[in-house]
């Protein structure tokens, strides 16, 4: 194999591949990226046995071939090469070495046979549709903060992507929860997605897929089966197993009868919560919200470190209410609001609180209160 490729193109491809590779590996080949050159392109394939990413980039291929080489080492080398350098990679197959050259730099890297590289079994995807990158970006960005990190409740360690009945017909919906907070985000149902089975997309996959979604004009081809999900752009294909479990019935936790309405500027609210939470003890991080007519008093009282209080002008017309929340949860939820004011719907100090953006019900957040 002998190829020449521009440094910027190579860095992007190898960067995508090496981020899938697990740092601690008991199987040596899994630390490697499979480099395959044919025609006028080179593909870089990496896997951790749960996720597989293939990145195809244009290159000048003098001799076709394939080999595997340490993903992290190759990425580090390419990253440290000067901008605009032309990188030449040569592998003669017999020596078990890959030679990487750029300008006056010369590296020789150990390789492993390409036959040992595990290729993910292809599966039949029952549902195929395409969606604009900004739509998928919104669905996953706004929900991923609520993914649980508890390994025991493994079925909550991802985002539940499924087709649901929204207020104005069927929608593509993403839901994540950890039992303390919940995010439910809807988008118009793409053509061809009607029969999609509901799947739980793992946290790592959500993080890796996010890298495909930066280009606003991109159309992402999404394929879903009962066991796998695939996201693809013309250059990159990301295939992942889905979490084998049943996502709980989240609709039971979303309050529908909350009547006390608070409207507040989300950015101001987040800054105020952040300020008063500075004195709270790390363990509890509890912030008390005291609501009265058109005013909100945020307070923290931490016996060991001090107290803080801040008042905000808000729109609130119901009876007085005192309710406590974990400051971190409030900050995360408030930061999801892009355009309008945040609208909080309360019931009582012991019931879940609902938050949305203005009257927009396509993004709904629920947070459980704390005793303060």
């Amino acid at each position: 194999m002998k190829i020449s490729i521009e440094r910027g193109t190579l860095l992007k491809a190898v960067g995508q591949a090496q981020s899938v590779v697990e740092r601690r590996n008991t199987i040596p080949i899994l630390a490697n990226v499979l480099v395959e050159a044919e025609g006028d392109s080179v593909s870089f394939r990496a896997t951790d046995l749960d996720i597989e990413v293939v990145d195809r980039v244009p290159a000048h291929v003098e001799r076709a071939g394939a080999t595997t080489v340490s993903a992290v080492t190759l990425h580090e080398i390419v990253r440290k090469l000067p901008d605009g350098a032309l990188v030449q990679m040569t592998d003669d197959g017999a020596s078990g070495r890959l030679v990487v050259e750029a300008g006056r730099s010369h590296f020789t890297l150990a390789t492993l046979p390409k036959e040992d590289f595990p290729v993910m079994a292809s599966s039949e995807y029952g549902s195929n549709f395409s969606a604009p990158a900004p739509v998928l970006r919104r669905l996953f960005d706004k929900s991923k903060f609520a993914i649980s990190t508890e390994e025991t409740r493994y079925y909550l360690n991802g985002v539940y992507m499924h087709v649901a009945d929204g207020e104005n017909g069927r929608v593509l919906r993403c839901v994540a929860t950890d039992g303390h907070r919940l995010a439910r985000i809807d988008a118009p149902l793409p053509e061809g997605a009607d029969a999609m089975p509901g799947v739980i997309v793992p946290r790592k996959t959500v993080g890796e897929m996010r890298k495909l979604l930066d280009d606003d004009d991109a159309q992402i081809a999404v394929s879903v089966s009962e066991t796998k999900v695939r996201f693809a752009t013309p250059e990159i294909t990301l295939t992942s197993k889905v979490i084998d479990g049943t996502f709980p019935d989240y609709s039971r936790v979303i309050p529908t009868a909350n009547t006390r309405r608070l409207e507040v500027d989300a950015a101001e609210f987040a800054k105020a919560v952040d300020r008063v939470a500075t004195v709270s003890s790390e363990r509890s991080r509890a912030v008390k919200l005291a609501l009265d007519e058109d005013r909100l008093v945020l307070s923290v009282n931490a016996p060991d470190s001090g107290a803080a209080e801040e008042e905000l002008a808000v729109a609130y017309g119901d009876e007085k209410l005192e309710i406590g929340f974990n400051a971190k949860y409030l900050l995360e939820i408030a930061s999801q609001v892009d355009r309008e004011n945040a609208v909080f719907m309360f019931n009582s100090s012991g019931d879940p609180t609902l938050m949305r953006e203005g009257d927009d019900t396509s993004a709904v957040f629920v947070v459980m209160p704390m005793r303060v």
Side-chain angles (χ1 to χ4, degrees):
M1 178 179 87
K2 189 173 186 184
I3 55 172
S4 308
I5 184 168
E6 197 271 320
R7 179 238 177 210
T9 312
L10 180 59
L11 181 63
K12 196 162 175 257
V14 178
Q16 183 86 35
Q18 67 94 32
S19 65
V20 169
V21 169
E22 285 291 336
R23 289 288 179 273
R24 294 184 297 280
N25 256 321
T26 46
I27 309 169
I29 193 91
L30 290 183
N32 281 14
V33 56
L34 173 63
V35 185
E36 296 175 290
E38 59 178 332
D40 55 1
S41 69
V42 179
S43 70
F44 295 86
R45 185 188 297 261
T47 183
D48 66 358
L49 296 182
D50 289 326
I51 304 176
E52 178 186 75
V53 66
V54 184
D55 201 337
R56 213 169 255 299
V57 291
H60 176 62
V61 180
E62 281 183 49
R63 243 193 352 260
T67 185
T68 82
V69 63
S70 164
V72 175
T73 312
L74 182 60
H75 180 252
E76 282 298 290
I77 288 173
V78 179
R79 191 174 63 80
K80 292 171 184 174
L81 289 175
D83 257 353
L86 187 69
V87 185
Q88 201 166 51
M89 295 162 72
T90 316
D91 168 68
D92 61 6
S95 63
R97 291 281 182 267
L98 175 75
V99 177
V100 180
E101 293 170 291
R104 296 180 180 182
S105 310
H106 181 99
F107 303 89
T108 311
L109 304 178
T111 61
L112 286 170
K114 64 175 189 297
E115 291 76 24
D116 296 351
F117 195 85
V119 174
M120 202 177 248
S122 61
S123 65
E124 287 295 312
Y125 293 100
S127 178
N128 298 283
F129 60 92
S130 74
V135 170
L136 289 176
R137 192 166 65 213
R138 174 178 172 273
L139 281 172
F140 284 96
D141 275 3
K142 283 186 180 294
S143 57
K144 66 183 180 191
F145 74 91
I147 296 175
S148 172
T149 50
E150 272 184 58
E151 294 301 322
T152 47
R153 298 164 77 185
Y154 62 92
Y155 48 84
L156 296 182
N157 295 160
V159 171
Y160 181 42
M161 178 173 78
H162 59 297
V163 177
D165 291 316
E167 288 196 346
N168 306 315
R170 289 168 78 66
V171 292
L172 181 62
R173 177 174 286 176
C174 282
V175 179
T177 181
D178 64 358
H180 303 288
R181 60 237 156 110
L182 177 143
R184 187 196 80 191
I185 318 297
D186 292 351
L189 187 65
E191 209 174 309
D194 289 350
M196 182 186 96
V199 288
I200 307 171
V201 184
R203 166 203 304 280
K204 183 175 174 184
T205 309
V206 172
E208 291 302 325
M209 181 211 30
R210 179 64 185 78
K211 296 170 188 167
L212 311 187
L213 306 179
D214 285 329
D215 177 6
D216 282 353
D217 302 327
Q219 282 286 336
I220 310 294
V222 184
S223 306
V224 184
S225 74
E226 296 284 351
T227 54
K228 288 201 184 79
V229 59
R230 189 174 69 199
F231 299 94
T233 65
E235 298 81 36
I236 303 172
T237 305
L238 176 78
T239 311
S240 166
K241 292 179 181 170
V242 298
I243 293 174
D244 182 17
T246 308
F247 201 79
D249 177 10
Y250 58 87
S251 58
R252 296 211 315 269
V253 235
I254 298 176
T256 50
N258 287 11
T259 51
R260 300 176 177 186
R261 178 189 166 107
L262 158 74
E263 190 164 334
V264 58
D265 180 309
E268 290 300 315
F269 176 73
K271 286 177 191 156
V273 170
D274 199 22
R275 282 193 289 268
V276 295
T278 315
V279 298
S280 69
S281 63
E282 268 312 303
R283 269 195 337 278
S284 68
R285 298 286 316 223
V287 172
K288 185 161 90 176
L289 280 66
L291 285 156
D292 206 343
E293 196 166 328
D294 288 347
R295 62 188 279 253
L296 163 66
V297 178
L298 298 165
S299 61
V300 167
N301 196 352
D304 46 352
S305 57
E309 193 174 284
E310 180 161 341
E311 191 174 314
L312 284 175
V314 296
Y316 180 75
D318 292 282
E319 63 246 51
K320 286 185 180 180
L321 175 69
E322 287 196 351
I323 187 166
F325 292 104
N326 180 318
K328 177 168 165 276
Y329 297 166
L330 277 187
L331 284 173
E332 282 178 337
I333 283 183
S335 68
Q336 303 305 321
V337 177
D338 306 323
R339 301 183 302 277
E340 300 182 43
N341 288 346
V343 171
F344 288 87
M345 302 296 288
F346 301 99
N347 187 21
S348 74
S349 60
D351 293 319
T353 293
L354 186 111
M355 196 282 285
R356 59 173 193 255
E357 227 176 310
D359 289 322
D360 178 12
T361 53
S362 72
V364 168
F365 305 93
V366 179
V367 60
M368 295 298 287
M370 280 174 79
R371 283 202 179 86
V372 283

